[in-house]
Amino acid sequence: MQSDEEEEQEFVALLTAHQGPILAYIRSLMPGFSGASDILQQVNMVLWRKRESFELGTNFKAWSFTVARNMVFTQRRKLKKGAWLIFDDDLAERFAEEFEEDDESLDRAHRALAQCVTQLRPHDLELVRKRYAEEVGLDEYARDLNRSPGTLKARLFKIRANLRRCIELQLQTSPQS
C-alpha cells in the first residue's frame, strides 16, 4: 500500500505527463480560441482539488478529459452569451468524442478543417482570419469595411455552417489512419 505522499507524487506525475494531451484536447474543442492555456490551468486546479476522488491505476486521461470537456463547455456557454461566434456544440461534441476515442482523430479533424479553409473565398477567409486569428471585433471590422456588424455576423454564420458540412464530409470520406 502506498503512503499519501507516494500517491500524491504519482498523481503529480500523471498530471504533468498529461498536460500536452489535455491542452490539445481543449484546443480541439475551441479551435482558434486564445484562452486554451487559461482553461488548462482551470482544469489543473479542478483535477488537483478532486485528486482524492481519482483512483490510481485507472484511466487518468479519460478522467482528466472529462473534467476538461466540462470546463470547455462551460466556457463555450459564456462565450455564446458574449460577442464570440464559435463552432456549434454538435461539431465540438463530435471532435471531443473522436479525440477521446483515438488521438489520430484529432489530426484527421485538423486536416479536414485545414482542407476546408483552403476552399474559402478570399474575402471569407479574410473575415475568418480577422475574427478568429486576430480576434478583431465584428463592430470594428464592420466599420473598416463600411458594412453593418449584422451583415458580417450573418456571413460568419454561413461560413461556419459551410465549414461544418465540409469537415463532416471530409471526415466521412477520408480513410482512417
Side-chain angles (χ1 to χ4, degrees):
M1 179 136 202
Q2 290 183 326
S3 71
D4 288 344
E5 185 177 327
E6 290 172 327
E7 286 182 0
E8 192 169 288
Q9 287 175 350
E10 189 172 340
F11 185 86
V12 168
L14 286 168
L15 184 61
T16 303
H18 285 83
Q19 291 298 286
I22 296 169
L23 182 59
Y25 180 65
I26 293 167
R27 287 183 175 152
S28 76
L29 298 174
M30 300 285 290
F33 180 64
S34 62
S37 295
D38 295 334
I39 294 174
L40 175 63
Q41 292 308 312
Q42 293 171 6
V43 169
N44 287 335
M45 289 188 304
V46 171
L47 293 174
W48 185 254
R49 277 195 315 266
K50 295 184 174 193
R51 69 187 178 278
E52 291 180 7
S53 69
F54 176 72
E55 187 177 324
L56 290 173
T58 61
N59 191 338
F60 184 86
K61 181 179 174 183
W63 181 67
S64 64
F65 277 23
T66 299
V67 172
R69 177 188 222 151
N70 292 336
M71 297 296 295
V72 164
F73 280 91
T74 297
Q75 182 66 32
R76 289 172 59 83
R77 281 190 295 277
K78 289 177 187 175
L79 292 174
K80 279 185 176 180
K81 290 179 184 177
W84 266 81
L85 299 172
I86 56 178
F87 288 112
D88 67 18
D89 289 341
D90 291 339
L91 185 58
E93 190 71 31
R94 182 167 176 189
F95 282 156
E97 289 168 5
E98 288 191 13
F99 191 94
E100 289 168 4
E101 291 171 7
D102 179 8
D103 292 343
E104 176 60 25
S105 295
L106 178 62
D107 291 334
R108 288 181 56 240
H110 282 165
R111 285 192 303 269
L113 176 59
Q115 177 62 32
C116 293
V117 166
T118 65
Q119 298 172 20
L120 291 175
R121 295 182 301 194
H123 62 277
D124 287 344
L125 180 58
E126 180 65 16
L127 176 57
V128 169
R129 280 189 179 140
K130 287 286 186 186
R131 184 65 186 106
Y132 298 112
E134 298 175 27
E135 298 182 21
V136 173
L138 286 179
D139 290 337
E140 179 184 344
Y141 191 53
R143 275 192 305 275
D144 292 346
L145 296 177
N146 200 25
R147 297 177 73 187
S148 77
T151 301
L152 295 183
K153 185 175 181 178
R155 187 68 209 143
L156 275 171
F157 180 83
K158 288 179 183 177
I159 293 168
R160 286 194 323 272
N162 290 337
L163 285 172
R164 177 181 178 199
R165 282 191 296 275
C166 179
I167 291 166
E168 288 173 347
L169 181 64
Q170 292 283 329
L171 291 175
Q172 289 171 2
T173 60
S174 68
Q176 293 187 0
S177 298

